[in-house]
Amino acid sequence: ADVGAVAGVTKGGVYFHFRTKEDLFFAVLDHWRAALRGALPSPAAGLSGVDALAEAVARYLRFHFENPAAGRLLRVLAVELHGRFTALLREDAREAHRALRARLRDAIARGQSDGTLFAADPALAAFLVAAAIHGVLDQWLTSPQDATAFCDPETLADALVTPWATGAEPGERPSVADAVEEASHEFRPPF
């Protein structure tokens, strides 16, 4: 009834176009997924891996910060509807997570190829970055008064990408031994 009122049609009019509440829910998901795909165009061929990764993270976060309804929908999908509706709904959520991880993994692999990123396993690194992104969004959605001060997309992207960055220019190949040696001088446990 609320959807019909906003759309200017009767409840029956809504059900004419959407046979079930699930159909309506999936239509809303499709709308936000299309908007997100438009906000995340394929990385330009000229970008280094580190820049492609930072751009993907920043754009994903910016989209959600500018479209909080999309973030709330993801929260409903992940938490409140878990175990309800159909297997199709669970598969839809799984595909959304896979799409994000694939984009991140591709950027990390590009960075491995051009020497700007180091990750022993690009799929694991993509999983960790995606988990951090969703953790940020979860905190922002559940307690915006605590999280908003930290929610600048570029700052967050830099913070999430820097641990994987080699500091090399594209095409330079820093050795893993040099990176480990440099890191071991920076980290001195107190024991």
Side-chain angles (χ1 to χ4, degrees):
D2 291 343
V3 170
V6 171
V9 298
T10 66
K11 184 177 175 180
V14 172
Y15 279 111
F16 176 79
H17 294 284
F18 305 99
R19 297 180 84 74
T20 67
K21 289 179 184 177
E22 282 184 18
D23 290 344
L24 179 59
F25 186 81
F26 280 114
V28 173
L29 278 175
D30 289 345
H31 165 77
W32 285 117
R33 295 251 167 80
L36 179 58
R37 279 192 302 276
L40 297 173
S42 296
L47 288 182
S48 66
V50 71
D51 290 337
L53 181 60
E55 180 181 350
V57 171
R59 285 181 180 223
Y60 191 90
L61 288 168
R62 184 178 305 105
F63 173 82
H64 286 285
F65 293 152
E66 291 174 357
N67 301 284
R72 284 191 294 274
L73 185 64
L74 284 177
R75 186 167 174 73
V76 167
L77 182 62
V79 178
E80 296 177 28
L81 296 180
H82 185 74
R84 294 177 62 193
F85 281 162
T86 64
L88 179 60
L89 184 60
R90 288 187 298 278
E91 188 61 28
D92 193 65
R94 183 178 182 204
E95 288 304 315
H97 286 290
R98 283 180 168 180
L100 174 61
R101 289 192 311 263
R103 174 178 286 274
L104 299 174
R105 185 191 64 238
D106 291 348
I108 292 167
R110 181 188 289 193
Q112 281 185 310
S113 294
D114 69 18
T116 60
L117 292 169
F118 174 77
D121 181 350
L124 177 60
F127 177 81
L128 293 171
V129 173
I133 289 169
H134 284 285
V136 166
L137 293 173
D138 184 55
Q139 290 185 58
W140 176 69
L141 287 168
T142 57
S143 57
Q145 66 278 15
D146 297 334
T148 299
F150 301 102
C151 291
D152 175 66
E154 284 73 24
T155 301
L156 288 168
D158 286 345
L160 292 172
V161 171
T162 297
W164 307 101
T166 62
E169 292 294 319
E172 284 183 22
R173 297 275 182 189
S175 76
V176 173
D178 290 343
V180 169
E181 175 68 21
E182 185 177 319
S184 68
H185 291 297
E186 294 173 12
F187 177 68
R188 301 278 184 204
F191 46 86

